Every structure is written in C-alpha cells, then in structure tokens.
Amino acid sequence: MEPTVCPWCHMEIVWDEELGPEEECPYCHNELKGYRTLNINIGDEENDEAEDDIYDLDDATDTEQTTDLSALWGDEVELKLPELRTLTKYADEGNDLIQYEQGVQKQLDHQEEVPECPNCREFMILAGTQAATQDTFTPVTNAVSGEGALLPSPFTVLTYICSGCFQVQYSLSEDDRLRLIQNLSAQK
C-alpha cells in the first residue's frame, strides 16, 4: 500500500494492508478526512502560457466540504448564539407573544419616528414624554454665544422602550431639537 503524509504533522503514514487507512493520524491523532486541501498544478516555465494562465483551475479539486460545524468540531461548539431579546423568556410563561407583536406593530404604525434599539436592533415604542423644568434640570452655559443656557428649560424628552429587550432610551422632542440647533448656531 502507498504511504500517505499527514497534512497536520507531515509524518509519513504507512497503513497496514489488511486494516486499510484509518480516519485519524497515529502520530498527532488529528482527523485525516476533516482536512481540506486544494491542489493547484502550476504550468511549466517552458510553456508560452500567459502569466494569467499559470494556475490551472480545471485540475483544482476540493474534497467533500461540509458547513455543518457539529460534524467538524463535534460537541465542542455550541451552535446557539446568546439571545439579546428578553422577550423570549416571557413566551415560556404562557403569554401570547403573537398578540404582543401585533400590538407592537399597531403602536409603531402611529409613531412619527421609529428608532432602533442600540442593544438588540428591535424597533422602539414611544412610551411618553417627560418635561424637564427649572426644578429638575440645571442647564450648561452656551459656549458658542457665551451667554444663556445651551438648552433652557422647560424642554421635553421623548421616552422610548425597546419592544424586544425593554431597554429605555431618551430623545429630545422635535421643537427642542430645533431650539438646540438655533442656540448652537448663533453667532456672538
């Protein structure tokens, strides 16, 4: 029987003719059938072939490829990615998540803005507004004009809640965004 070279440790393997080739190298114990090779025949320099034709793709062979990670790595790889959506744990408690998703969609249809959650990329629901007053907010001085507040109170903050992971995000209301832009673009 013809000797074989292990593609992992490069040791020559001589198989027993009665038993035949094994699936694992007797030296490094790596799987021999899992190793992927690509054979490329390089043309002779004596030929007048163009440099583009050096690699003969017709002779390139690819042994049986598999995309199944469990076949390649066995039980070592956990194929499940960690879940970002907190919502899935409520499905186990008997809640009707289909009805929930339909309710979320109806609510999103009535929103002017539909931001994406930075945590899980689900759409966020506008839950309400909060007013920042002089009692609850201390403004920073406007460095552009040198006088007054950067964003004087009162102003309104929109509160969004993620429909998947329930993270909360705040955004300045449309009118107050315009006020902030005007304050920062004012010339001294």
Side-chain angles (χ1 to χ4, degrees):
M1 187 167 237
E2 184 177 315
T4 306
V5 176
C6 173
W8 299 97
C9 65
H10 303 290
M11 295 291 293
E12 185 176 308
I13 304 167
V14 180
W15 305 113
D16 184 11
E17 289 185 21
E18 292 178 10
L19 298 175
E22 295 181 27
E23 293 182 9
E24 145 180 322
C25 174
Y27 302 103
C28 66
H29 301 289
N30 281 313
E31 181 182 357
L32 295 175
K33 291 185 178 181
Y35 192 81
R36 307 294 181 241
T37 59
L38 180 65
N39 297 323
I40 300 173
N41 291 336
I42 299 176
D44 295 337
E45 291 179 329
E46 298 173 356
N47 293 342
D48 293 333
E49 297 177 9
E51 286 190 29
D52 295 337
D53 297 329
I54 289 178
Y55 298 104
D56 188 5
L57 295 179
D58 292 336
D59 290 339
T61 59
D62 192 6
T63 59
E64 297 174 20
Q65 293 262 346
T66 180
T67 56
D68 183 17
L69 291 178
S70 61
L72 294 174
W73 297 100
D75 294 334
E76 294 178 24
V77 176
E78 185 175 327
L79 300 176
K80 185 178 177 186
L81 296 174
E83 294 210 19
L84 292 174
R85 288 180 54 126
T86 308
L87 181 63
T88 54
K89 79 175 188 179
Y90 295 107
D92 298 337
E93 296 175 8
N95 296 313
D96 188 4
L97 294 184
I98 295 173
Q99 285 291 106
Y100 172 77
E101 293 288 341
Q102 290 173 350
V104 166
Q105 190 58 48
K106 286 179 185 176
Q107 189 65 34
L108 293 173
D109 290 344
H110 289 90
Q111 290 180 204
E112 289 182 30
E113 290 183 14
V114 182
E116 231 181 44
C117 176
N119 189 37
C120 71
R121 300 288 181 219
E122 287 289 327
F123 292 124
M124 300 188 84
I125 302 168
L126 177 61
T129 59
Q130 292 178 317
T133 62
Q134 292 177 346
D135 299 333
T136 61
F137 180 75
T138 307
V140 175
T141 306
N142 188 345
V144 175
S145 66
E147 57 189 58
L150 178 65
L151 184 61
S153 56
F155 62 88
T156 306
V157 176
L158 305 173
T159 305
Y160 290 95
I161 299 175
C162 177
S163 62
C165 68
F166 303 106
Q167 294 289 320
V168 178
Q169 181 178 333
Y170 300 100
S171 180
L172 201 55
S173 69
E174 186 72 30
D175 294 336
D176 294 319
R177 292 177 196 174
L178 206 54
R179 255 190 338 150
L180 181 65
I181 291 170
Q182 291 169 351
N183 287 346
L184 286 173
S185 61
Q187 298 294 323
K188 186 175 181 183

